[in-house]
Amino acid sequence: MDNTIETMKQHRSIRSYLNKPIADEVLDQVLQAAQAMPTSINGQQCSIIIVKNTAKKQKIAKLAANQQWIGKAPVFLVFTADFYRSSIACEKNGQKQIIQESLEGTLVGAIDVGIALGAAIVAAESLGLGIVPIGAIRNNPAEMIELLELPKYTYPIVGLAIGYPADKPAIKPRLPFKTFIHKESYDSHNVRTVIDEYDKTMEKYYRQRGDKDTNWSRQIADIYKQVYFPAVYPTMKAQGFLNNK
């Protein structure tokens, strides 16, 4: 079996890191892998902000719901949907860019970021690094945008803490493979039964990990009953992502 595929299947989120810097040439391999990924119309709607400054990482950690591992990781990456460059390309050719005002534009930016994020994760883990994605950089987006000096038509989508692992936690169980893949059309039969069984698996996993008394569906319900990052919509509009087309 290809070692890269096996590495991907062994993924686990790492929140504890050795006090060991990441060499520039190693980090560059991760970033170059992310940049090499396909993007919509070759618009390359993703930019990555590299943060190594300890004080800035700690500020980001505070903004991101006090996730302290952000400050402790040697490198933190912010994956940004970027229509700033393309707006300049439009100006250069006498056109006014409007794609960022549409829901399609938001999807394009988020998809490009997601593809780049996935590549960075695979590259980092293949090099022996540990990672954890941070969606909570959208917790206080206005302050994050100011801290990173992001221009109009850009938006911080997700972060990635990277470092050499200080531990090796258990792999988090996934929903059964049969609910992930669908042959020819979506199969909605027996989903509730499968979730009932998966809840038992996750309850046992969290109990063994020792930090939660819950299961998958209960945790999801507690989060998805609300818009948990309500500042996203108004700050996206302020950045030019109107989502009105």
Side-chain angles (χ1 to χ4, degrees):
M1 181 179 290
D2 184 278
N3 289 337
T4 301
I5 294 176
E6 186 59 31
T7 296
M8 294 170 71
K9 291 167 65 176
Q10 293 297 311
H11 164 74
R12 62 203 77 201
S13 292
I14 301 296
R15 295 176 174 84
S16 181
Y17 306 99
L18 299 174
N19 185 21
K20 178 181 177 181
I22 301 173
D24 288 343
E25 56 268 27
V26 174
L27 182 59
D28 281 349
Q29 290 187 65
V30 174
L31 298 171
Q32 288 166 6
Q35 188 186 24
M37 291 298 98
T39 65
S40 179
I41 70 160
N42 193 34
Q44 303 176 64
Q45 286 86 203
C46 177
S47 292
I48 300 174
I49 313 298
I50 306 166
V51 182
K52 295 183 179 181
N53 179 272
T54 300
K56 183 170 283 190
K57 285 187 297 177
Q58 290 173 345
K59 175 66 173 176
I60 292 172
K62 183 178 180 181
L63 293 174
N66 295 310
Q67 297 190 53
Q68 297 306 310
W69 39 85
I70 295 173
K72 295 176 180 178
V75 175
F76 188 71
L77 305 178
V78 180
F79 288 72
T80 305
D82 187 350
F83 287 91
Y84 177 70
R85 290 186 301 243
S86 56
S87 71
I88 294 174
C90 287
E91 290 176 7
K92 179 180 177 181
N93 288 276
Q95 303 288 345
K96 179 183 178 182
Q97 175 176 277
I98 67 166
I99 187 63
Q100 80 285 344
E101 298 176 1
S102 70
L103 185 56
E104 174 65 16
T106 296
L107 287 172
V108 165
I111 290 168
D112 278 9
V113 162
I115 294 171
L117 174 68
I121 289 171
V122 173
E125 292 182 335
S126 71
L127 293 169
L129 295 163
I131 60 87
V132 59
I134 307 293
I137 64 163
R138 305 187 304 276
N139 185 48
N140 288 288
E143 292 183 64
M144 194 71 67
I145 289 165
E146 181 179 3
L147 179 67
L148 300 175
E149 301 179 38
L150 299 183
K152 199 82 167 177
Y153 310 142
T154 65
Y155 199 84
I157 300 292
V158 65
L160 189 69
I162 303 180
Y164 289 97
D167 59 10
K168 190 176 182 180
I171 297 174
K172 186 178 292 184
R174 296 294 192 254
L175 281 160
F177 189 61
K178 62 183 178 182
T179 68
F180 177 67
I181 54 110
H182 301 268
K183 297 179 180 179
E184 308 298 343
S185 60
Y186 195 103
D187 182 4
S188 60
H189 297 91
N190 301 318
V191 172
R192 183 179 292 272
T193 301
V194 172
I195 290 175
D196 287 343
E197 291 301 314
Y198 182 60
D199 275 344
K200 295 176 185 177
T201 300
M202 288 305 295
E203 189 169 355
K204 180 180 179 181
Y205 166 80
Y206 285 131
R207 186 166 56 248
Q208 291 175 339
R209 203 170 73 172
D211 63 344
K212 290 182 181 179
D213 181 18
T214 188
N215 58 38
W216 181 76
S217 65
R218 193 183 313 142
Q219 180 171 260
I220 293 300
D222 286 344
I223 296 172
Y224 281 0
K225 66 184 179 184
Q226 61 196 330
V227 178
Y228 51 91
F229 295 143
V232 168
Y233 183 51
T235 51
M236 286 201 83
K237 289 197 293 184
Q239 286 293 100
F241 294 82
L242 304 183
N243 289 310
N244 64 2
K245 294 179 174 60

